[in-house]
Amino acid sequence: RGAEEATARWAVNVRSDEPETLVFLAMILAERRDYDAAEGCCELALRLDPDLPEARATLGWALALNRRAAAGEKECREAIRLY
């Protein structure tokens, strides 16, 4: 784990009610190829704010990289619609 991930995990622990913090952690996890964990963070963020386009876009990215292209495309299209 790098410093970015440790900082993001700390922020999630402090502010678990902020979906943007979960999306930030999801981006870091996806960059580290931990797509399942990234998806989980995005899903938690979307429970807090179902209309957060950044969560939808990041989830779409993680799904596509995790060999679930159709589901990823659906989330990305929803992100575009929400923007």
Side-chain angles (χ1 to χ4, degrees):
R1 290 185 190 170
E4 276 185 335
E5 183 179 345
T7 301
R9 287 184 184 280
W10 173 83
V12 167
N13 285 331
V14 171
R15 295 304 309 244
S16 61
D17 60 332
E18 289 191 14
E20 293 86 357
T21 305
L22 290 160
V23 172
F24 178 66
L25 177 57
M27 289 178 184
I28 293 168
L29 292 168
E31 286 178 2
R32 295 177 187 273
R33 296 187 174 128
D34 190 349
Y35 306 124
D36 292 330
E39 289 174 30
C41 286
C42 289
E43 289 166 0
L44 287 173
L46 289 168
R47 282 189 212 140
L48 295 169
D49 184 354
D51 295 327
L52 184 63
E54 293 84 0
R56 297 270 174 203
T58 304
L59 178 58
W61 176 46
L63 287 166
L65 291 171
N66 207 10
R67 296 190 168 103
R68 295 169 46 201
E73 179 182 359
K74 178 183 174 222
E75 292 298 335
C76 288
R77 288 184 185 277
E78 181 62 12
I80 291 167
R81 187 190 71 74
L82 292 169
Y83 275 115

